[in-house]
Amino acid sequence: MLETAHIVSGPAGFMEKLLPALHADRFVPGLAPRSWTIRQSVPRRSHLLVVETRRGTATMRGTTVAIQSPGLLWLPGDHEGTLEVEAGAQGYLISVSDDVLTRTVAGSAEALHLRRTIDRLVLREGTQLATTFAAITESCSTLVRELNTPGRGSATMTSTHVLLLCLHLWRSVISEEASDDAAQRGDGPRLVGNFLQMVELHYRDGWPIARYAAALGVTDDKLHAHCKREKGCSPRAIVHQRLIHEACMRLRQLDLPVEQIGYGLGFRDPGYFNRFFRKYQNASPGAYRRRARQDPGQLGPSYAAWP
């Protein structure tokens, strides 16, 4: 899909609106229902619907679920559907790109847990939000205010409240997760899944594999064994594949100098970036970019199946 989210607002009919990486709307009581059609976009966007009064519904894949106030629904970026609130409803609709989410949660000590939470659909109502709903609506209100009338430090303020919303979502679902450390780390497929999510957060940071293993609470050897069993390659190869996937995408889509693309991926030495890229693509970054623009069908491995 294109970079649009389609918004239907009351009786006014269908409108298309190009959304920025972070968008926040406050809807107030009105005489007509409001609805939003959420479609997958590039880049992916997640949506948070907060219903303070009256009632809302979400229709996804032919199934409709009700959202009682006070309540919220978090839709990760791979979900499509229609959101609707009754006439007289009050609340917020927040839209945030996956890139903003990734950069926001990456620096948090709870990054792995937050990533798992924001990648799933979350529906919470009533007593499930008894201790957090006021804080959630306060963060939504702050986002609306800062985005509409930015001031000094607005970028930091907005990223802080996006992080707070992610933390509140995680806290609201944490009771469903296993509480013991072994279950949190998991084994086999769960461990590798956690590793892939951590790679997504830190592949540009130059982490050694030992640091990934320590963060996951396992030894290097155990992480290596499970990655070989589940993915057929080593943890280092997985990190390198993620870097190459991102490098190829940026070279195809961005008109930045090759050195700047390498720097954005954590390579401080342009020569090393060239050697690293050539090892996996059998071509320099510049040659790959020229070939991609001349003949997109002859690019070799695309790593499109990256999880």
Side-chain angles (χ1 to χ4, degrees), residues 25-38:
D25 266 339
R26 167 73 162 160
F27 55 89
V28 296
L31 297 178
R34 293 180 57 125
S35 63
W36 301 265
T37 300
I38 308 300

Side-chain angles (χ1 to χ4, degrees), residues 33 66 72 80 90 97-98 112 117 120 140 158 177 190-191 197 221 226 228 251 278 287 302:
L72 63 80
E80 295 184 335
Q90 176 175 293
S97 73
D98 197 59
L112 183 60
T117 299
R120 61 186 283 189
C140 291
T158 54
E177 299 179 352
R190 181 189 292 270
L191 172 63
Q197 291 183 5
D221 289 343
H226 282 298
K228 291 288 285 187
L251 287 166
R278 186 185 295 273
S302 68

Side-chain angles (χ1 to χ4, degrees), residues 175-247:
S175 60
E176 297 177 355
E177 299 179 352
S179 58
D180 61 282
D181 291 341
Q184 291 289 352
R185 291 196 304 268
D187 202 58
R190 181 189 292 270
L191 172 63
V192 174
N194 289 347
F195 172 63
L196 292 175
Q197 291 183 5
M198 192 165 285
V199 170
E200 193 65 26
L201 294 172
H202 296 291
Y203 69 92
R204 291 170 291 188
D205 297 336
W207 276 25
I209 299 304
R211 185 170 180 180
Y212 284 106
L216 292 165
V218 298
T219 64
D220 295 19
D221 289 343
K222 183 172 182 178
L223 180 59
H224 185 277
H226 282 298
C227 286
K228 291 288 285 187
R229 183 177 299 115
E230 301 295 332
K231 293 295 180 181
C233 57
S234 68
R236 185 180 304 278
I238 289 173
V239 175
H240 287 181
Q241 287 172 9
R242 183 63 183 93
L243 278 166
I244 289 296
H245 168 76
E246 188 70 19

Side-chain angles (χ1 to χ4, degrees), residues 28 45 82 84 93 111 152 193 211 236 249 251 260 264 296:
V28 296
R45 300 180 189 279
T82 300
E84 184 169 349
L93 180 66
R152 292 181 178 178
R211 185 170 180 180
R236 185 180 304 278
M249 183 186 71
L251 287 166
Q260 190 170 342

Side-chain angles (χ1 to χ4, degrees), residues 27-34 52-55 85-91:
F27 55 89
V28 296
L31 297 178
R34 293 180 57 125
E52 294 179 285
T53 60
R54 304 300 293 258
R55 180 176 175 270
V85 293
E86 294 177 334
Q90 176 175 293

